[in-house]
C-alpha cells in the first residue's frame, strides 16, 4: 500500500514538473503550443510602449469583430484604465464582460481587483484576490500581483 501511494505521488509530481517546465501552472493549458493571436500581440506591444490610445483603438476594433473574445475585453479595459483619464464605467463594463465570457480569466480578475482599488473598494478587490486564490492552485503571477496591490493599498490607508 505504501509503495502504491509513493507511485501516485511520483506520478503527480512528474506531471507538475512537466507543466511548470513548460512555463505553465499545473492544470493550465500550455500556451506556447496555441496559435498566437496577432491582435493580442499588437495590443501588448502598444501597451508595453504605453500607447494607451493606440492599444484602445486597436482593441475596440477587435471587439467589434469578435465580441466574444475575453482577452480583447480584458486588454481594452486595461488600456482604458491606464490611460490619462480613465472612464471607469467603461473599464468595469469590459472587465465584467471578459469574466462573463470566461469566468476563470485570471488577468481580468487581477485587473478588475486593481480597478476596484482605484475606487477605494478594498472589499471587492479582495473578492477577486480570493477568486484568483481558488483558480491558481499553486499560485500564479496574477494572484501575486493583486496581492501586492492590495497590500500596498492597505499600507497607504494605514498612513492616512
Amino acid at each position: 500500500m505504501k509503495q502504491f501511494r509513493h507511485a501516485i505521488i511520483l506520478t503527480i509530481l512528474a506531471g507538475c514538473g512537466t507543466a511548470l517546465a513548460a512555463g505553465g501552472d499545473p492544470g493550465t493549458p500550455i500556451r506556447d503550443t496555441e496559435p498566437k493571436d496577432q491582435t493580442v500581440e499588437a495590443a501588448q506591444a502598444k501597451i508595453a510602449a504605453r500607447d494607451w490610445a493606440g492599444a484602445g483603438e486597436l482593441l475596440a476594433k477587435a471587439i467589434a469583430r469578435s465580441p466574444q473574445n475575453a482577452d480583447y475585453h480584458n486588454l481594452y479595459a486595461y488600456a482604458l484604465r491606464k490611460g490619462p483619464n480613465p472612464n471607469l464605467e467603461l473599464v468595469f463594463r469590459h472587465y465584467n464582460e471578459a469574466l462573463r465570457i470566461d469566468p476563470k480569466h485570471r488577468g481580468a480578475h487581477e485587473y478588475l481587483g486593481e480597478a476596484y482599488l482605484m475606487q477605494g473598494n478594498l472589499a471587492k478587490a479582495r473578492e477577486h484576490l480570493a477568486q484568483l486564490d481558488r483558480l491558481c492552485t499553486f499560485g500564479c503571477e496574477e494572484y501575486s500581483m493583486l496581492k501586492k496591490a492590495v497590500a500596498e493599498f492597505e499600507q497607504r490607508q494605514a498612513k492616512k
Side-chain angles (χ1 to χ4, degrees):
M1 187 65 166
K2 190 174 185 180
Q3 289 176 325
F4 180 71
R5 278 189 285 177
H6 287 309
I8 290 173
I9 291 170
L10 288 174
T11 302
I12 291 170
L13 291 174
C16 291
T18 301
L20 290 172
D25 293 342
T28 301
I30 299 169
R31 301 226 182 253
D32 291 341
T33 60
E34 294 178 9
K36 301 287 184 191
D37 184 318
Q38 300 213 349
T39 300
V40 169
E41 287 185 344
Q44 288 173 331
K46 288 182 182 294
I47 287 168
R50 298 185 178 279
D51 179 4
W52 311 121
E57 184 179 322
L58 174 73
L59 290 159
K61 289 177 184 175
I63 289 168
R65 286 190 317 270
S66 297
Q68 293 302 307
N69 187 308
D71 290 333
Y72 294 172
H73 286 280
N74 180 53
L75 288 173
Y76 180 59
Y78 182 84
L80 291 173
R81 181 170 62 91
K82 291 296 192 169
N85 296 307
N87 175 342
L88 288 180
E89 182 180 324
L90 195 55
V91 166
F92 282 105
R93 184 180 325 144
H94 283 280
Y95 283 139
N96 284 314
E97 183 63 9
L99 290 174
R100 185 196 65 76
I101 296 165
D102 180 2
K104 295 180 178 182
H105 197 291
R106 295 185 316 203
H109 280 292
E110 175 195 348
Y111 295 153
L112 185 53
E114 291 173 3
Y116 278 120
L117 292 175
M118 287 175 70
Q119 283 191 323
N121 193 337
L122 181 58
K124 289 299 270 183
R126 283 184 178 154
E127 284 179 25
H128 288 279
L129 184 61
Q131 279 286 352
L132 285 168
D133 192 30
R134 287 189 284 280
L135 292 172
C136 303
T137 307
F138 295 103
C140 61
E141 183 179 2
E142 295 85 355
Y143 174 82
S144 297
M145 296 299 290
L146 183 54
K147 185 174 181 178
K148 179 181 176 191
V150 166
E152 289 171 354
F153 179 87
E154 290 172 330
Q155 287 176 347
R156 284 191 305 273
Q157 294 303 304
K159 291 179 181 179
K160 288 184 177 182

